Structure formats: C-alpha cells, structure tokens
Amino acid sequence: MAACDAKNRSGFQQIRSQGSTEPIKFELYYRESSNTRPITYELEIDEDNMGRPYVKEERLRQRVAKVG
C-alpha cells in the first residue's frame, strides 16, 4: 500500500481516523443513469499480526433487475 508508506504518513496506523483500531472501510456507489441498476463496491482494509495492511474483504454488487 503505497499510500501508507508515502513520506510523512507514518504507516497504516496513522491513516486510521482518531486512533481507531477498526479496519478502514470504503463504499462506492455508482449509477450510470436513472434507468440503470446501481453498482456498489465495498473494500475493507485491516492490519495483520505483523502490522502489515491487507484486504480483509472486497465486494462488488449490482442490484437485481426488477421483474414484472
């Protein structure tokens, strides 16, 4: 994770907000237009026992088209 190692960032622990020990979570919601199904991308980054960041969970979802 290059962002963690950038100059003056001091590693993964400093990127977390307010000293939290919880994983960092991102959720992106995208919709091309009002008549397309939305897509959601979720990413969760945590730290292993050695202090190295890793992707704990990653998910890509698209809503099911309405039947009817």
Side-chain angles (χ1 to χ4, degrees):
M1 300 213 13
C4 294
D5 297 328
K7 189 175 181 179
N8 300 322
R9 293 245 173 119
S10 302
F12 183 75
Q13 298 83 7
Q14 295 300 318
I15 293 176
R16 291 183 183 184
S17 298
Q18 308 280 327
S20 172
T21 58
E22 296 295 315
I24 296 173
K25 298 178 183 181
F26 297 93
E27 181 176 306
L28 302 172
Y29 180 86
Y30 175 77
R31 190 173 199 166
E32 183 73 30
S33 65
S34 62
N35 61 349
T36 59
R37 296 179 290 147
I39 297 171
T40 304
Y41 175 72
E42 299 170 19
L43 177 66
E44 188 170 332
I45 302 170
D46 204 356
E47 191 174 32
D48 68 14
N49 294 334
M50 302 282 290
R52 299 172 297 197
Y54 71 97
V55 175
K56 184 175 182 179
E57 188 172 334
E58 184 177 30
R59 185 181 317 166
L60 181 64
R61 298 181 294 163
Q62 185 171 28
R63 278 206 186 140
V64 178
K66 293 180 182 179
V67 179

